[in-house]
Amino acid sequence: MIEFIKCHGSGNDFILIDERLETYSFSEQDRYDLSRLLCHRASGIGSDGILFVLDSDKAEARMRMFNSDGTEAEMCGNGLRCVARYIIEETGKQAVDIETDKAVLAVSQVDPIYTGIDTFSVAIEPVSFAAKSLPMNFPADEAANVEVPALSKDYRFTALSVPNPHIVAVVEDYQEEDLAAVGEKANQLPDVFPKGVNVSFMKLLAPNKVFVQTYERGVGLTNACGTAMSASSLVSTLIGGNDLDTPIMVINKGGLVNCVVSKEKERYSIQLQGNATYVYRAAIEVDLEEMTWKQANSETFDKEIATYTQLEQYAASQI
Ligand SMILES: N[C@@H](CCC[C@H](N)C(=O)O)C(=O)O
């Protein structure tokens, strides 16, 4: 029997499982199997990934994030906001640290980005433009607004890790199929991106306002990707579209977030601020040998779902 919360950040949806609550004692294979079984949109619960919450000796808790294909990511921005809410509500503190794969990150509850939406801010770091940090095999140390001939002749990309790997193209307009095709191809080029890569198309809408959509490694097209919106905000700032230390409104297919890009002694960091909405809480019986599951009970969060619909409508009106 596994208890979980179905939640989302900007429509990027997750199954949050607190491994500390029960003695689940998942093995690495179990986490891989659970992700493939439960995230499946047709035969599972359906989600972009699973957020496992664990004990930490460095922070209030630890987050591990698995994509729907069972691979583990170094970081997940929208997911971290959901885990931030969970731990902040559990501890009653307004700010805590959460351990992630590559860093211990500060998270806090902040002023709402939209009326009635509890809002959480998470640090997105470390940031690196070194091609090897993704890793990306590229003839120069950095790939800033470059053509990647093996990938596409139509777009130019900037590569950065935050710390999961991203490439961002600034586009005027695009068809979703084009993003899907480029994203799929990028994740079939192990000679260029040995660990795969998240691919984003960003439109500059106005000063401090952008639209971002992402083909996520291990998932495919998603409503939003928090680390991608953070990476894109940084890229847009570097090309002069946005200001440092100023909220950038990032519209996405599932809503909107604010990203604040800062620079201290040549080091960039980003604050990603947005919703962490609970959709329902449930318990399921899972048989990992048979790879089957069945739902035992559930409780939905109707009020916050309804409030989030208003934010979605507002976001759509901003494009
Ligand atoms: N949706 C996430 C990122 C999830 C991981 C990504 N697919 C990867 O493999 O790096 C986010 O909100 O950042």
Side-chain angles (χ1 to χ4, degrees), residues 24-45:
Y24 295 131
S25 326
F26 296 141
S27 64
E28 289 306 305
Q29 183 66 38
D30 290 340
R31 293 190 188 91
Y32 172 86
D33 288 341
L34 281 169
S35 305
R36 295 185 68 93
L37 176 70
L38 300 180
C39 296
H40 199 280
R41 293 276 172 203
S43 58
I45 289 164

Side-chain angles (χ1 to χ4, degrees), residues 12 40 112 130 156 271 282 297 318:
N12 189 197
H40 199 280
R156 300 178 76 83
Q271 286 291 325
N297 59 47
Q318 291 299 301

Side-chain angles (χ1 to χ4, degrees), residues 69-237:
D69 73 349
T71 55
E72 182 171 9
E74 299 86 341
M75 174 55 180
C76 174
N78 292 327
L80 185 58
R81 293 206 310 280
C82 295
V83 174
R85 168 180 173 175
Y86 185 76
I87 299 297
I88 282 171
E89 287 182 355
E90 177 186 80
T91 58
K93 297 177 182 169
Q94 208 185 333
V96 293
D97 287 343
I98 311 248
E99 181 184 352
T100 61
D101 182 41
K102 294 270 188 284
V104 171
L105 298 172
V107 305
S108 58
Q109 183 157 8
V110 294
D111 290 344
I113 46 161
Y114 185 83
T115 313
I117 299 288
D118 284 351
T119 299
F120 298 86
S121 185
V122 301
I124 303 290
E125 52 191 48
V127 172
S128 174
F129 285 95
K132 65 172 191 275
S133 73
L134 280 84
M136 173 184 185
N137 291 320
F138 191 69
D141 290 347
E142 297 184 0
N145 195 30
V146 295
E147 240 193 51
V148 181
L151 178 56
S152 165
K153 293 199 171 25
D154 299 327
Y155 303 100
R156 300 178 76 83
F157 300 94
T158 297
L160 67 166
S161 63
V162 295
N164 57 341
H166 290 269
I167 54 172
V168 179
V170 182
V171 299
E172 300 254 306
D173 211 0
Y174 71 95
Q175 302 295 317
E176 236 172 56
E177 305 87 79
D178 297 334
L179 173 58
V182 175
E184 227 167 89
K185 188 158 182 203
N187 284 282
Q188 288 163 0
L189 287 177
D191 291 347
V192 185
F193 301 107
K195 292 192 177 166
V197 70
N198 298 289
V199 182
S200 296
F201 281 0
M202 170 174 61
K203 288 199 249 180
L204 304 172
L205 300 176
N208 299 314
K209 189 171 171 186
V210 298
F211 174 88
V212 178
Q213 192 181 5
T214 305
Y215 179 99
E216 284 195 43
R217 173 182 70 166
V219 189
L221 287 180
T222 56
N223 281 327
C225 171
T227 44
M229 294 187 286
S230 306
S232 302
S233 296
L234 173 51
V235 171
S236 70
T237 303

